[in-house]
Structure formats: structure tokens, C-alpha cells
């Protein structure tokens, strides 16, 4: 996923959560638009963080897979010499 879709998805979720919150309270959804902006920004940041975390996890997994492949090759070489 791209950074844009993660942030946009988080923002959409934040806006939906805020509207749902106001609906549960049976308040006007246009009441206090700053709350909508804050919720949207907060969840947008959460989407940004999730994107960065996903990228870092992919790097860590690639490094771990490379380590495992090296160990397997060393084990196979050691078994072939024996």
C-alpha cells in the first residue's frame, strides 16, 4: 500500500468514527467541526505511522530471511563436507 492510501484510509476512518460518535449521542453531525478535524488528523497520523511500521517490518523480515538462508547454506556446506 502507498503512503497516500494509508493516510487517506486513516482519515476516512477517523471522520467516520466521529460521525458515528455524534450519531450515537443523537447530536447534529455539523456540531463542532473542530472535533471532526481533530479526529481526522489524529487517525490520519495513525495511518502514516502504520505505513512506516509496515515498511520497517518488511525490511526486518527481509534481513531475517537473508540470515536464515545464510545459515541453511552454511549447514548444507558443513553437511556436504562431512
Amino acid at each position: 500500500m502507498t503512503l497516500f492510501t494509508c493516510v487517506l484510509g486513516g482519515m476516512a476512518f477517523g471522520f467516520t468514527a466521529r460521525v458515528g460518535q455524534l450519531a450515537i449521542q443523537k447530536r447534529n453531525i455539523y456540531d463542532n467541526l473542530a472535533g471532526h478535524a481533530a479526529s481526522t488528523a489524529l487517525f490520519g497520523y495513525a495511518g502514516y505511522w502504520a505505513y512506516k511500521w509496515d515498511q520497517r517490518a518488511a525490511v526486518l523480515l527481509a534481513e531475517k530471511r537473508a540470515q536464515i538462508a545464510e545459515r541453511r547454506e552454511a549447514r548444507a556446506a558443513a553437511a556436504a563436507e562431512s
Side-chain angles (χ1 to χ4, degrees):
M1 264 202 302
T2 65
L3 175 62
F4 182 71
T5 57
C6 284
V7 171
L8 198 61
M11 291 173 74
F13 182 79
F15 181 76
T16 305
R18 175 68 178 161
V19 170
Q21 175 190 22
L22 292 175
I24 288 171
Q25 295 175 354
K26 295 184 180 179
R27 291 174 45 196
N28 184 1
I29 64 169
Y30 298 111
D31 190 28
N32 191 9
L33 294 178
H36 291 300
S39 178
T40 302
L42 181 69
F43 279 92
Y45 178 71
Y48 173 77
W49 180 82
Y51 173 79
K52 290 296 184 180
W53 181 67
D54 186 45
Q55 294 299 311
R56 179 67 182 142
V59 169
L60 290 174
L61 285 173
E63 290 173 357
K64 195 59 154 176
R65 285 184 181 138
Q67 289 175 356
I68 291 170
E70 289 174 10
R71 288 182 194 152
R72 284 182 182 166
E73 289 174 5
R75 226 182 273 151
E81 290 177 2
S82 298

